[in-house]
Amino acid sequence: MSDKLVMSTGNKAVAAAVKMAQPTVVAAYPITPQTEVIEAIADYVEGGEMTARYIPVESEHSAMTACIGAAITGVRVFTATSSHGLLYMHEMLHWAAGARLPIVMGQVNRTIAPGWNIWAEHSDALSQRDTGWLQIYVSTVQEAYDATLMAFRIAEDNRVLLPVMINMDGFLLSHIMQPFEMTEPGDFIPPIHLPHAIDVNDPHGYGAMSPANVHYQFRFDMEKSMRAAREVIAETEAEFAKRFGRSYAPVEEYRCEDAEVVIVAMGTMGKEAEVAADLLRDEGIKAGVMRIRWLRPFPELNVAGKELVVIDRDYSFGFGGVIAGEIQARYPEAKIARVIAGLGGQEVTFEDMAEFVRSRKIGTEFWFGIPEEEQ
């Protein structure tokens, strides 16, 4: 396989990966800051570089409905959205996962109005974390491209057969230009085989009702597949590294071997935190970083003997930061200082992150930018 180094935005890198995967159907509706993804795909289809059926629908709800209708016939399907578009899809996200359809979706993280704001925040995707979709959060253009390629293979694996959402910070990554290697996947993505696909040449009766004595079994089957996804993700990432030389893991650790305090974050802030860790190391503070990539299925974290500074670019009102809460629930003994930062595109630099560590108070929640006397 040959690699080609190109400059691209995160949005166009996702579109380029979709072109390589060659889905049969793409249904989508434009929304800032995702629009560039589907515009690029539309250009590929119009120019004959993709043979997909491109369906420009009237809403995001219709986009996911069209994807479900196509996927149930056993073909490869892609869509993309952001923020309010994702919320408009909410009902159909449950249908896609419950019907065990391996749809892949590019999701550009953007805050939810009001007030009206188009900048980065993770609350849109995190509000959908219980729908049954696998979720990955990327931090570079290269990772956005690679994760999209791997998402098709993971979703379509018959041990999984659940949809995958690739999350990318709005503007901070979706519109930033970075070099990346465009990879020809070859047979890395095998042909799709949906065992319960509808076939007009072999008609069957399908019942949509699930009475109380079986419904819970369908839900547990989804959970078993989510658990199996951990192994499939590990296998896929290992095979990707073997073929293409770029390694990934559900959690990317940076200088954590001897770390006494670890910054935990997702997306671009997780990458920025590595600079903060280097700065703190120069000051004699043994700092490291855990960048959570796969949120669903939730990964194993090595938190023993470490203090955690968890930075949430989200908030669950009346509860707290979502990621800090999930870590605390999974690891009740974890020593966590909770930081809420970056909401709606609020600027958070590596210097700010270093200060979060220096001034950390375990067991408390700190809102960056809000005077302490108001918290």
Side-chain angles (χ1 to χ4, degrees), residues 303-320:
V303 300
K306 297 175 172 60
E307 293 186 355
L308 306 181
V309 176
V310 181
I311 306 175
D312 268 288
R313 187 172 239 149
D314 60 80
Y315 203 72
S316 178
F317 300 102
F319 174 74

Side-chain angles (χ1 to χ4, degrees), residues 84-252:
H84 289 268
L86 182 67
L87 303 192
Y88 199 11
M89 287 181 175
H90 174 72
E91 176 193 11
M92 304 316 296
L93 297 184
H94 283 280
W95 276 92
R100 310 305 302 276
L101 301 176
I103 298 166
V104 172
M105 176 164 62
Q107 210 291 125
V108 182
N109 296 112
R110 169 189 145 188
T111 194
I112 305 298
W116 199 253
N117 182 299
I118 60 173
W119 303 99
E121 187 174 317
H122 293 157
S123 297
D124 54 355
L126 289 175
S127 71
Q128 310 301 315
R129 65 189 181 278
D130 298 332
T131 57
W133 283 63
L134 280 69
Q135 286 200 29
I136 184 171
Y137 292 74
V138 300
S139 65
T140 67
V141 169
Q142 184 71 68
E143 188 181 1
Y145 180 85
D146 294 345
T148 303
L149 291 178
M150 286 187 271
F152 286 101
R153 175 168 166 153
I154 292 165
E156 294 169 6
D157 189 296
N158 276 206
R159 292 168 289 175
V160 178
L161 291 179
L162 289 170
V164 175
M165 184 187 304
I166 304 136
N167 291 288
M168 174 171 56
D169 287 349
F171 293 103
L172 297 171
L173 186 54
S174 65
H175 285 67
I176 199 74
M177 293 284 288
Q178 292 177 351
F180 82 101
E181 290 183 354
M182 187 176 293
T183 301
E184 295 279 354
D187 62 355
F188 175 76
I189 306 174
I192 185 172
H193 171 67
L194 186 70
H196 55 286
I198 292 174
D199 183 356
V200 295
N201 296 313
D202 184 21
H204 288 77
Y206 290 84
M209 300 297 292
S210 58
N213 64 326
V214 297
H215 186 80
Y216 68 93
Q217 297 179 47
F218 293 142
R219 289 295 177 261
F220 183 64
D221 191 58
M222 289 174 65
E223 170 58 17
K224 287 195 297 183
S225 293
M226 189 67 78
R227 295 174 187 176
R230 291 189 174 93
E231 181 179 2
V232 175
I233 289 168
E235 291 174 1
T236 301
E237 291 179 339
E239 179 64 19
F240 191 90
K242 180 180 177 182
R243 291 197 186 202
F244 309 119
R246 295 187 292 278
S247 298
Y248 298 99
V251 178
E252 293 287 325

